[in-house]
Amino acid sequence: MIDKLNINLIRFILLALIVFSIIYGILRGEVQIVLRNATNICLDCIGIG
Amino acid sequence: MKTNKQNTNLSKQRKKRMLIQAMGALIFNGDWKNFINGNIYKGNLKNICVPVLNCYSCPGALGACPIGSLQAVNNSYQFNLAFYVVGLIALFGITMGRWFCGWLCPFGWIQELLYKIPLKKFRTKQTIHKKAIWLKYILLIVFIFVIPIFTQDSYGMSSPAFCKWICPAGTLEAGYPLMLTNPALRQAVGYIFGWKTILLVITIFFSIKIFRFFCKYACPLGAIYGLFNKISFYHMECSSDCIKCGRCSEVCKMQVEPYKTPNSAECIRCGECIEVCPVKALQFSFIHENTLSKTETPNRSNNKQG
Ligand code: SF4
Ligand code: SF4
Ligand code: SF4
C-alpha cells in the first residue's frame, strides 16, 4: 500500500531518477535542439507554421 | 463570516502574489527591446527551460518554454523522447508542484488580470468541473504525444501540434507582438493564425468569467505539475485541528476542498485558504510528515478528489 510507504524516500528516489534523466539528456545532445528551437522564431507557435 | 484579521491577511497575500507574478512575467521576458524591434532573444539562456508556460518566441523571452521544448526534441529526427526536458519539468514538479502556476507563470497571471475585469463571474458546477479538469490530460496526451507519432514525415520529424493548433499563450505572447512589429511575418499570415486567434478570444472571454479557465481545463504543463502535487517536496498539510467549517473551500478559486485534499492536482499553492482558516489548520511544508496518509486529510472518509 502506497499509504504505508515512506513518501520522503519516494521523493528522493524520484529526484535521483530525474537528475539522471537530465544528465543523460544533456550528454546525448538534446540541449542543442532546445537552444536551436528557442532561438529561432517558431512559426508554429505564432500561428503561421 | 470572515474576521477582519483574516480579510486583511487574505488581501495582503493577494497583493504579495500579484507582485511576484508581475516580477516573474517581467524577468522571464526581460529582453524588452525586442518588443520594439520585432525579433527574439537568441542568447545561451535559452538552453534552459523556464518552469512556466512562457512562449520561447515571445520577443522578450529569456528562457525556453518547457512544453515547446518537449515537442521540439520528441519530434526531432534524432530523438523520440526528451530526457532533458522531461527531467527538468519533473524537477520543477517534484520540488514545488503547481506553486509555479500560482506564483510565477506569466500566462496564469494574465488570466488572473482578466478575471479582475468587473463582469459577472461564473463558478463551474462542481460535477462539471470534476469532469472538465481531465480535458488538460487529454490535450497533453493527444497533442503532445499521439498526433506527432501519426504525422511524422519520412525523416521521423513532425510539427509541435500543441503549439501549432492550440496554445493561446503562443498566440498572445509571440504571435501578436511579432505580427505587430515584423512586416515580413505579417505577410505570411494564414488560416492557422485565424484559428488560433479564435481560440485566444475564447480563452480570454472565459478567463474573464471563470478564474484561470485555461489553467483549470487546458494547460498541459499544469496537468503535469498537478500530478506532482501529490508527492512534491513543497506540499500542504491539514492538521487534526480542522473543524471542517469549509471556509478554505469557499475561498479557493481553483475549486479545491483543501481540508479534504490538501494536495489536489488542481491546487496552485496560492495560499489563500491558509489565510482564511480560523484555526490555522492548514500549512505549507517541505519535509514534515513521513507518510502519505499523514500528509492527506485528518479524516480519511472525507478524502475525495478536489
Ligand atoms: S496551468 Fe499552465 S498556464 Fe496556468 S499557470 Fe500553470 S503553467 Fe501557467
Ligand atoms: S482547514 Fe480550516 S478553514 Fe478548512 S475546514 Fe478545516 S478549519 Fe475550516
Ligand atoms: S487549495 Fe488553497 S492554496 Fe490551493 S489553490 Fe485553493 S486556495 Fe490556493
Side-chain angles (χ1 to χ4, degrees), chain A residues 1-12 14-15 17-26 28-49, chain B residues 40 42-43 46-47 55-57 64 69 72 76 78-79 81-84 87-88 90-91 94 160 163-164 170 174-175 178 185 188-189 192-193 196 231-233 235 287 289-292 300:
Chain A
M1 280 290 290
I2 195 155
D3 273 16
K4 301 269 184 276
L5 293 177
N6 184 322
I7 186 161
N8 286 327
L9 185 67
I10 298 175
R11 287 172 178 148
F12 280 109
L14 269 175
L15 192 59
L17 287 172
I18 288 165
V19 171
F20 176 79
S21 170
I22 294 173
I23 293 171
Y24 178 63
I26 293 173
R28 66 180 197 151
E30 291 175 19
V31 182
Q32 284 85 316
I33 299 178
V34 171
L35 183 67
R36 191 178 65 216
N37 278 271
T39 52
N40 288 297
I41 292 176
C42 165
L43 297 181
D44 292 302
C45 299
I46 64 174
I48 53 180
Chain B
I40 63 170
K42 293 179 188 290
K46 279 193 166 167
N47 277 312
C55 188
Y56 47 32
S57 289
S69 304
S76 67
Q78 295 104 311
F79 306 114
L81 182 63
F83 283 92
Y84 170 64
L88 277 182
L91 181 66
I94 191 106
C163 296
K164 181 169 181 171
L178 288 174
L185 290 173
V189 162
I192 299 178
F193 191 73
K196 287 195 70 182
I231 50 166
S232 56
F233 284 91
H235 64 278
I287 298 184
E289 303 284 340
N290 216 23
T291 62
L292 268 183
R300 295 185 57 75

Side-chain angles (χ1 to χ4, degrees), chain B residues 186-226:
Chain B
R186 244 190 335 265
Q187 303 270 313
V189 162
Y191 76 96
I192 299 178
F193 191 73
W195 162 251
K196 287 195 70 182
T197 298
I198 292 171
L199 287 187
L200 175 62
V201 170
I202 292 172
T203 306
I204 291 174
F205 174 78
F206 281 104
S207 300
I208 295 171
K209 309 290 275 178
I210 298 174
F211 183 76
R212 284 189 179 237
F213 170 75
F214 178 78
C215 302
K216 277 177 178 163
Y217 306 124
C219 180
L221 188 59
I224 300 172
Y225 285 162

Side-chain angles (χ1 to χ4, degrees), chain B residues 17 108 111-112 115 121-122 206-217 252-255 268 270 272:
Chain B
R17 201 165 63 83
Q111 290 171 77
E112 288 196 25
Y115 191 73
K121 303 300 166 191
F122 187 77
F206 281 104
S207 300
I208 295 171
K209 309 290 275 178
I210 298 174
F211 183 76
R212 284 189 179 237
F213 170 75
F214 178 78
C215 302
K216 277 177 178 163
Y217 306 124
C252 179
K253 296 198 282 294
M254 291 304 284
Q255 302 186 219
I268 56 167
C270 69
E272 294 189 3

Side-chain angles (χ1 to χ4, degrees), chain B:
Chain B
M1 284 284 289
K2 286 196 275 277
T3 65
N4 281 343
K5 184 158 188 326
Q6 282 163 1
N7 276 336
T8 318
N9 288 348
L10 185 58
S11 113
K12 269 194 205 154
Q13 174 79 357
R14 284 181 176 156
K15 280 188 191 138
K16 182 169 87 182
R17 201 165 63 83
M18 269 286 154
L19 189 69
I20 293 175
Q21 285 174 300
M23 280 164 50
L26 289 177
I27 292 168
F28 288 134
N29 298 293
D31 199 358
W32 303 320
K33 67 178 184 315
N34 285 326
F35 284 101
I36 297 158
N37 65 25
N39 213 329
I40 63 170
Y41 166 76
K42 293 179 188 290
N44 279 336
L45 284 174
K46 279 193 166 167
N47 277 312
I48 302 167
C49 296
V50 292
V52 290
L53 194 79
N54 192 63
C55 188
Y56 47 32
S57 289
C58 174
L62 293 177
C65 167
I67 292 297
S69 304
L70 179 61
Q71 295 169 93
V73 181
N74 284 355
N75 304 354
S76 67
Y77 72 88
Q78 295 104 311
F79 306 114
N80 291 321
L81 182 63
F83 283 92
Y84 170 64
V85 182
V86 168
L88 277 182
I89 295 175
L91 181 66
F92 299 138
I94 191 106
T95 47
M96 300 299 285
R98 279 188 94 173
W99 179 88
F100 295 108
C101 295
W103 291 80
L104 285 184
C105 180
F107 200 62
W109 180 56
I110 289 168
Q111 290 171 77
E112 288 196 25
L113 293 179
L114 288 168
Y115 191 73
K116 285 186 179 294
I117 295 173
L119 286 175
K120 196 168 183 288
K121 303 300 166 191
F122 187 77
R123 193 173 166 107
T124 321
K125 266 174 109 178
Q126 204 64 0
T127 44
I128 299 171
H129 171 73
K130 282 187 175 175
K131 292 193 178 86
I133 53 177
W134 292 101
L135 177 66
K136 56 184 177 292
Y137 294 96
I138 295 171
L139 292 175
L140 169 68
I141 293 165
V142 172
F143 281 85
I144 293 177
F145 293 103
V146 177
I147 292 180
I149 291 173
F150 289 102
T151 54
Q152 276 181 2
D153 63 17
S154 52
Y155 298 100
M157 293 169 73
S158 49
S159 302
F162 183 79
C163 296
K164 181 169 181 171
W165 297 108
I166 309 280
C167 188
T171 318
L172 182 71
E173 295 167 1
Y176 274 95
L178 288 174
M179 293 295 166
L180 291 173
T181 47
N182 189 323
L185 290 173
R186 244 190 335 265
Q187 303 270 313
V189 162
Y191 76 96
I192 299 178
F193 191 73
W195 162 251
K196 287 195 70 182
T197 298
I198 292 171
L199 287 187
L200 175 62
V201 170
I202 292 172
T203 306
I204 291 174
F205 174 78
F206 281 104
S207 300
I208 295 171
K209 309 290 275 178
I210 298 174
F211 183 76
R212 284 189 179 237
F213 170 75
F214 178 78
C215 302
K216 277 177 178 163
Y217 306 124
C219 180
L221 188 59
I224 300 172
Y225 285 162
L227 297 176
F228 279 101
N229 262 7
K230 306 263 175 226
I231 50 166
S232 56
F233 284 91
Y234 189 67
H235 64 278
M236 201 197 300
E237 290 171 5
C238 181
S239 77
S240 51
D241 294 339
C242 171
I243 51 172
K244 300 185 176 49
C245 63
R247 280 185 202 159
C248 49
S249 309
E250 273 166 39
V251 83
C252 179
K253 296 198 282 294
M254 291 304 284
Q255 302 186 219
V256 177
E257 295 174 293
Y259 73 102
K260 293 180 184 171
T261 52
N263 295 307
S264 159
E266 302 310 304
C267 172
I268 56 167
R269 306 310 193 199
C270 69
E272 294 189 3
C273 53
I274 290 176
E275 298 303 333
V276 300
C277 176
V279 292
K280 297 272 165 258
L282 295 166
Q283 60 168 351
F284 287 129
S285 166
F286 272 96
I287 298 184
H288 219 248
E289 303 284 340
N290 216 23
T291 62
L292 268 183
S293 55
K294 286 182 189 163
T295 58
E296 289 293 339
T297 171
N299 179 354
R300 295 185 57 75
S301 60
N302 280 334
N303 197 358
K304 288 191 228 131
Q305 180 65 40

